[in-house]
Amino acid sequence: MAAGVAAWLPFARAAAIGWMPVASAPMPPPPREKRRGQDGLIILNVSGTRFQTWRNTLERYPDTLLGSTERDFFFHEETNEYFFDRDPDIFRHILNFYRTGKLHYPRHECISAYDEELAFFGIIPEIIGDCCYEEYKDRRRENTERIQDDEENENNKDLVLPELSFRESMWRAFENPHTSTMALVFYYVTGFFIAVSVMANVVETVPCSSGPNRAKEVSCGERYALAFFCLDTACVMIFTVEYLLRLIAAPSRYKFVKSVMSIIDVVAIMPYYIGLVMTDNEDVSGAFVTLRVFRVFRIFKFSRHSAGLRILGYTLKSCASELGFLLFSLTMAIIIFATVMFYAEKSSSASKFTSIPAAFWYTIVTMTTLGYGDMVPKTIMGKIFGSVCSLSGVLVIALPVPVIVSNFSRIYHQSQRAEKRRAQKKTRLARIRATKSGGANAYLQYKRNGMLADAEEEASKEAGKSLVCKINPTFETQHHHLLHCLEKTTNHEFVDEQTYETNCMEVSLTKPSMSRSSSLSSSPHGLSSCCTRRNKRKSFNVSNSNMVGGRRGSIQELSTIQITERPMSNSRSSLNAKFEETLPLNSEEQSYITAAVISMPTPPVTTPEGGDSASSPDFLQSNIVRVSAL
Amino acid sequence: MWETEGLQTLGIVVIVCASLKLLHLLGLISFSEDSVEDELELSAARHRPEALEQLEAQTRFSRKELQILYRGFKNECPSGVVNEDTFKEIYSQFFPQGDASTYAHFLFDAFDTDHNGSVSFEDFVMGLSILLRGTVQEKLNWAFNLYDINKDGYVTKEEMLDIIKSIYDMMGKCTYPTLKEETPRQHVEIFFQKMDKNRDGVVTIDEFIDCCQNDENIMKSMQLFENVI
């Protein structure tokens, strides 16, 4: 029941007195009235804009935030009002909902902002009034489509990593030629051969000059029959190979075979094979000639290469009903006018309008304003009706055309928007990545400059940066502290991308002898700088490379170096303590593997406290934890 | 020659057009969409109620109660008056299973004391004042007025039958026990048995009030809705 009608309930109950004298049975007792307190004004302060309403108005909908006791959480004692730190413009609509019982959707607002506000105030969007519901649903659908598109594109990008079988990679190469050079080459080659084939079909009918002793002109096709045949064979070879490859690579062969492009492919190459099979049989040569017409379908293969063609085809498909209507109305008009013209011209002698079907040709030519002039009316009535026919032809054709045009333009704009989004996506992703790495770098910077505000020798070198650190807002410092706690918890450290990537490369490229040097050199903020920091624990990016195959020697190297340079490192106390005790470390599981700042794969981080030597190499290799930064 | 042929064709065309025009004149077909006259929409009558003090004096509601009542009234009917259709619509919302329109019609007549076809806020509030704050006598008076459809001072069996039928209509079809055809009639008989003392087939206001005052149940139920506001 609408809120407004609820105001009439007291009236309806009072009017029930009219039933009392005629009642057959005694009345039930009235319900207990709970005195809910005086109906007072409530002040709702939304980001400075004060809204006021009666308490009863809000309590009409007790399952929303404002109508229930949940609003007490937002009560601000000093000013005796309810304060919400939300958008006042959208709040206006929400409050109107309480007042009138109808929720409206403002067209100029962003749909996601609106949804958020509704969710915050506990109002389900389904109660939006009929007047605004269509618009709301449309915008919502657009939004979800856009998000889905983005996700799909992202997923596609992420599939750059291997895990694609040969078949899948081939299919991807076919569908997205710009993904690899091979695919691009293939794309252009097929395009070239399509063009060559179509041109050959065209040129082969041109009359070439014949020899002086020949009587009639022969077409080039007949003169250079062998050359054209070879060319045709080559093209069909390529097309066949392409089709077979696509067939093999397609994820769903059945769907591929049913698709339009594959049918075009088949139709394009069939005539050749049929021609091969059929001998020069006189009976079927006529049919054979017809088949050659189908060779022109090769030109449709270009639609794989051109998005515009695809859009055109899609538009025609989606305007099928308008086109059908156009055809139907034209047919009706043609029949009517042809009949009229025939009877009008029947009297004139030597008239070309010998029958109504003959008059069809005249009508079509006139209605489409072609006017060949091979059939013209001679009688006055015929001329009158002929002019009416041509005028109405223009009208009938002009009617469905705008619909088709608007459809085309809508689809074209949609595809353009998708293109724009894809182009912007690169910049968007770059921006996101920049902020991410910026944040990670900020943290690493922060660490370098000393969380405990110990400005050591290097502070002088990085004096400027340390200043920056000091004037970090509280939020930043707390955030960094949190990241630090995480590092302590997992016994891993954050590093930047470059170091991580160099590690990864070293894993694949490194040699045992080189490991040490490379390891040393690979840590830019490495052992050299770490010695100056007492409480600093520098990222041992090295360990990865070293631990491959469990090279103990290098571990020893590391540990010795470490011990000599950082004897008092109190972080990773358990491990370092062991270092100090035993120099040759066969069994120390070193989780020096430093974490880079990307996504977290499934193997959880293990903080090895005392593992076996046997398991340590495996440990290390599996401990390539990638902790997401920020 | 061509004259005859041409003239024949011309004649046929003229005849066809003339017949179409004739049909159009006869109103059997219409060519253009906007041959329907645009109905003038009368702007809704606006009505402002009397001042709060006057209403306070005339009714038994307090100032605050009048304010609350008016706010609800104006919210639902921004123009300030309720016409019969709106009234029926509002009342029907409370009885979704049945058809409350007939009873709403009688109610509307009862509230519309000056019989001008619309219930203004004053009518509304006067009626409510009687129903909620009036004496038993006034309430019974009001009820009698409701039953007396033609307001001639007598309640006949037919009028009563109409009222009772409209009340049963509000129940709808799905009742237990199922409504039968003669239930309203029986109900009317019972009522007349009780009320019509002199058996003249009509119930007057005095008979009605007398009888009701002697009936305990009715007296008790009259007090039922005291605290609605």
Side-chain angles (χ1 to χ4, degrees), chain A residues 109-120:
Chain A
E109 292 288 351
C110 169
I111 183 80
S112 29
Y114 188 72
D115 272 342
E116 270 179 34
E117 295 295 312
L118 284 188
F120 180 83

Side-chain angles (χ1 to χ4, degrees), chain A residues 1-30 33 35 38-39 54 56 60 98-100 340 343-344 346-348 379-381 384-385, chain B residues 2 5-6 9 13 64 71-73 75-77 82 87 90-91 93-95 103 107 111 124 128 131-132 139 142-143 146-147 160 164 167-168 170 187 191 194-195 208 212 217-218 221-222 224-225 227-229:
Chain A
M1 218 159 34
V5 184
W8 285 70
L9 186 60
F11 154 73
R13 295 177 72 200
I17 287 190
W19 309 335
M20 301 304 152
V22 296
S24 332
M27 292 289 137
E33 295 277 330
R35 277 278 135 222
Q38 287 306 323
D39 182 23
W54 298 109
N56 281 355
R60 281 188 199 146
Y98 286 91
R99 290 182 183 135
T100 62
V340 169
Y343 282 111
K346 210 160 111 153
S347 57
S348 95
T379 61
I380 295 187
M381 286 317 296
I384 293 177
F385 283 119
Chain B
W2 62 269
E5 293 276 3
T9 326
V13 168
K64 255 195 143 23
R71 267 186 250 136
F73 184 83
N75 220 4
E76 193 59 23
C77 317
V82 192
F87 192 89
I90 294 174
Y91 199 72
Q93 301 224 7
F94 294 107
F95 304 100
Y103 187 69
L107 259 189
F111 267 93
F124 179 69
L128 275 188
L131 286 173
L132 299 176
K139 289 183 194 175
W142 188 91
L146 174 68
Y147 303 147
M160 209 56 221
I164 302 267
I167 294 180
Y168 275 102
M170 281 198 285
H187 203 132
F191 178 78
K194 216 169 25 162
M195 302 281 168
F208 182 72
C212 288
N217 278 335
I218 297 181
S221 56
M222 283 291 167
L224 212 54
F225 295 112
N227 303 323
V228 160
I229 296 280

Side-chain angles (χ1 to χ4, degrees), chain B residues 52-209:
Chain B
L52 200 51
E53 290 83 10
Q54 271 179 297
L55 281 179
E56 227 185 322
Q58 287 169 0
T59 66
R60 297 194 195 96
F61 288 119
S62 74
R63 211 180 163 79
K64 255 195 143 23
E65 287 166 339
L66 281 172
Q67 282 179 335
I68 295 177
L69 278 172
Y70 187 65
R71 267 186 250 136
F73 184 83
K74 182 101 175 143
N75 220 4
E76 193 59 23
C77 317
S79 57
V81 289
V82 192
N83 60 2
E84 185 157 346
D85 291 325
T86 327
F87 192 89
K88 281 188 186 167
E89 216 181 275
I90 294 174
Y91 199 72
S92 305
Q93 301 224 7
F94 294 107
F95 304 100
Q97 305 98 324
D99 175 26
S101 47
T102 336
Y103 187 69
H105 167 75
F106 296 134
L107 259 189
F108 187 79
D109 284 339
F111 267 93
D112 187 13
T113 41
D114 47 3
H115 305 291
N116 59 355
S118 62
V119 166
S120 64
F121 183 62
E122 289 96 341
D123 299 333
F124 179 69
V125 126
M126 305 276 208
L128 275 188
S129 165
I130 296 175
L131 286 173
L132 299 176
R133 302 285 154 93
T135 64
V136 175
Q137 182 95 359
E138 288 171 344
K139 289 183 194 175
L140 289 173
N141 227 334
W142 188 91
F144 187 83
N145 192 29
L146 174 68
Y147 303 147
D148 187 7
I149 298 179
N150 54 3
K151 318 282 180 232
D152 59 355
Y154 299 103
V155 174
T156 64
K157 276 208 178 143
E158 286 71 29
E159 290 175 336
M160 209 56 221
L161 186 60
D162 284 339
I163 299 270
I164 302 267
K165 260 222 285 255
S166 68
I167 294 180
Y168 275 102
D169 279 343
M170 281 198 285
M171 293 289 296
K173 286 189 317 181
C174 313
T175 57
Y176 176 77
T178 36
L179 275 179
K180 296 199 264 294
E181 266 300 313
E182 58 274 6
T183 319
R185 200 167 287 279
Q186 287 170 353
H187 203 132
V188 174
E189 287 303 321
I190 297 172
F191 178 78
F192 264 77
Q193 288 261 0
K194 216 169 25 162
M195 302 281 168
D196 192 7
K197 289 292 188 288
N198 55 3
R199 303 271 173 262
D200 56 355
V202 293
V203 177
T204 61
I205 178 82
D206 306 305
E207 285 176 337
F208 182 72
I209 292 183

Side-chain angles (χ1 to χ4, degrees), chain A residues 525-538:
Chain A
H525 344 280
L527 310 167
S528 51
S529 53
C530 78
C531 58
T532 57
R533 301 242 160 277
R534 280 204 299 136
N535 302 327
K536 284 299 309 152
R537 185 185 74 234
K538 261 315 146 190

Side-chain angles (χ1 to χ4, degrees), chain A residues 132-144:
Chain A
C132 301
Y133 196 59
E134 288 301 320
E135 173 83 16
Y136 175 78
K137 273 280 177 249
D138 283 344
R139 295 274 292 267
R140 205 161 190 205
R141 205 173 4 103
E142 266 180 46
N143 205 33
T144 39

